[in-house]
Amino acid sequence: MMSGEEEENAAELKIGEEFLKAKCLMNCEVALILEHKYEQLQQMSDDPMNQVSQVFEKSLQYVKRFSRYKNPDAVRQVREILSRYQLAEFELCVLGNLCPETVEEAIAMVPSIKTKGRAHDDDAIERMLNDLSLIKKFE
Amino acid sequence: MFFEVELQRDVKINATNLDKPVSRRFILACLLDNLFKEKASEDHGYFLAVTRLKSIGKGNVMDESGNTVFTVVFTCRTFKPFPGEELQGVVRYISQHGVLLKCGPIRNAFLSAWKMSKYQYIPGKKPAFLNNELSKIEKGVVVCFLVLAVRWINASRDFEMLASVDADSLGPVSLPGSDELEL
């Protein structure tokens, strides 16, 4: 029943070396990319949905619905701001996707940011969340 | 989570297509076709788009018929869920045993009634799960859930998930929009 690696646990950033090093993408970033691709297909074909796989279609629906930021500048700012806080790519994207409003929520969503030895005290997390909420406010 | 990962695939070109020099374009077209049919892998998740070609190896003749294999290395955008990750999904089916959520390309994330311990099943024409604070999980509702486990189904090349909402910050959320693609 379990996936290949029994000890996989994203809450502890145990996602395998390959995915720890890989670039992660927030839903809002994927939405911009897939929407652009869909627009290109619309220009080339009368029925763009026939040109894409079900995986593409379902993924596009998903990221359009679950993107917290729609404006491309806002999307760029979110990544820029979160990149200042020494987060792993995976953690950065979970926070950008779920947009916690309080420090407690952020820790519940991404428990690994409070792992022993990491430099994220509550004040730093609060500053990060405040910066994110400002982007949302002015989007 | 969405990733950009490096992948390697062997692209087999039949000898009938080797009467003239094989172009990079033809190899790439075969690669894209193969990925479309492969759909997903257990190691890397669902394939969304090839983003960058890194290399195409020299062709190796496989057998007497002259079929040739080219090793292609490229980066690809994928979607792969992990246990311990928090995701959002949409309720697509409800029974007294629990709820089926759809999440991106994944059709089946099962949220058992056992993992909604604060919710009670309310049967009827529009069945739902309801808690003491009148928070409702019904068809079409968006739910933030924790991935407890992930299973790869080789026959259909799909992932399935076990989900839980038994923690703070999990459960139904109100997000605007519907699940239909706005064209």
Side-chain angles (χ1 to χ4, degrees):
Chain A
M1 174 67 187
M2 302 292 287
S3 56
E5 296 278 342
E6 282 289 325
E7 59 275 5
E8 266 182 1
N9 185 355
E12 295 174 19
L13 269 188
K14 290 179 182 172
I15 56 174
E17 187 83 12
E18 183 178 11
F19 289 96
L20 269 179
K21 290 182 185 170
K23 183 168 173 67
C24 295
L25 295 161
M26 293 182 282
N27 293 341
C28 52
E29 290 172 317
V30 177
L32 292 177
I33 294 161
L34 295 188
E35 276 175 334
H36 177 66
K37 175 79 180 171
Y38 185 74
E39 278 162 18
Q40 285 181 323
L41 288 171
Q42 273 182 316
Q43 285 166 4
M44 284 163 41
S45 162
D46 290 332
D47 187 10
M49 269 301 139
N50 252 341
Q51 309 291 323
V52 301
S53 63
Q54 257 215 345
V55 168
F56 182 100
E57 184 190 335
K58 296 293 178 197
S59 302
L60 178 54
Q61 278 176 354
Y62 178 78
V63 295
K64 276 173 71 96
R65 186 152 188 205
F66 296 115
S67 293
R68 296 304 186 100
Y69 305 90
K70 308 289 184 191
N71 180 292
D73 286 332
V75 171
R76 264 193 294 276
Q77 280 178 6
V78 169
R79 182 166 280 272
E80 193 201 302
I81 281 172
L82 289 174
S83 299
R84 296 178 199 161
Y85 289 92
Q86 293 156 345
L87 298 164
E89 278 273 314
F90 192 92
E91 294 168 328
L92 184 155
C93 289
V94 173
L95 290 169
N97 285 341
L98 298 179
C99 292
E101 292 182 354
T102 66
V103 171
E104 290 74 24
E105 269 187 15
I107 295 168
M109 289 172 182
V110 191
S112 51
I113 59 175
K114 285 293 271 186
T115 309
K116 254 190 198 174
R118 298 195 69 188
H120 303 108
D121 60 15
D122 286 6
D123 286 342
I125 297 171
E126 180 135 21
R127 276 198 303 276
M128 177 174 66
L129 299 183
N130 287 340
D131 289 343
L132 283 183
S133 68
L134 278 175
I135 299 175
K136 189 67 193 161
K137 213 178 269 185
F138 294 109
E139 192 187 13
Chain B
M1 180 60 70
F2 290 96
F3 295 93
E4 197 157 293
V5 293
E6 184 172 295
L7 297 179
Q8 180 177 300
R9 287 291 184 277
D10 290 336
V11 175
K12 182 177 125 184
I13 309 289
N14 290 329
T16 49
N17 291 311
L18 290 169
D19 54 344
K20 50 189 176 189
V22 177
S23 67
R24 285 165 69 91
R25 191 186 181 107
F26 183 74
I27 295 170
L28 282 177
C30 291
L31 171 73
L32 292 175
D33 195 49
N34 293 347
L35 281 179
F36 181 89
K37 288 171 188 159
E38 191 182 349
K39 187 170 94 171
S41 77
E42 184 176 7
D43 291 337
H44 296 104
Y46 293 90
F47 306 128
L48 285 176
V50 172
T51 50
R52 195 161 70 98
L53 174 68
K54 293 191 106 174
S55 67
I56 299 178
K58 286 184 186 170
N60 288 316
V61 179
M62 278 170 60
D63 50 37
E64 288 165 357
S65 63
N67 293 332
T68 306
V69 166
F70 295 86
T71 299
V72 183
V73 180
F74 56 100
T75 54
C76 183
R77 238 166 250 130
T78 67
F79 178 79
K80 183 180 174 182
F82 283 91
E85 183 180 359
E86 279 193 23
L87 289 170
Q88 290 169 321
V90 180
V91 177
R92 68 173 190 86
Y93 177 78
I94 295 190
S95 79
Q96 61 184 1
H97 304 292
V99 159
L100 278 179
L101 302 161
K102 54 182 176 179
C103 176
I106 296 175
R107 186 171 153 74
N108 292 323
F110 179 57
L111 176 57
S112 165
W114 293 104
K115 289 296 174 186
M116 292 188 275
S117 53
K118 293 179 183 171
Y119 289 80
Q120 300 296 320
Y121 176 64
I122 311 292
K125 272 190 181 172
K126 287 188 177 180
F129 282 84
L130 197 66
N131 72 0
N132 291 340
E133 290 153 18
L134 301 181
S135 175
K136 201 187 229 183
I137 296 177
E138 60 182 347
K139 195 171 173 186
V141 161
V142 171
V143 174
C144 187
F145 62 94
L146 177 70
V147 180
L148 290 180
V150 177
R151 176 166 72 172
W152 167 250
I153 314 290
N154 203 47
S156 59
R157 304 198 71 76
D158 273 303
F159 289 90
E160 291 181 339
M161 297 189 280
L162 267 185
S164 169
V165 295
D166 269 348
D168 295 336
S169 81
L170 299 177
V173 294
S174 56
L175 277 180
S178 79
D179 215 32
E180 295 305 313
L181 202 56
E182 289 160 14
L183 301 175

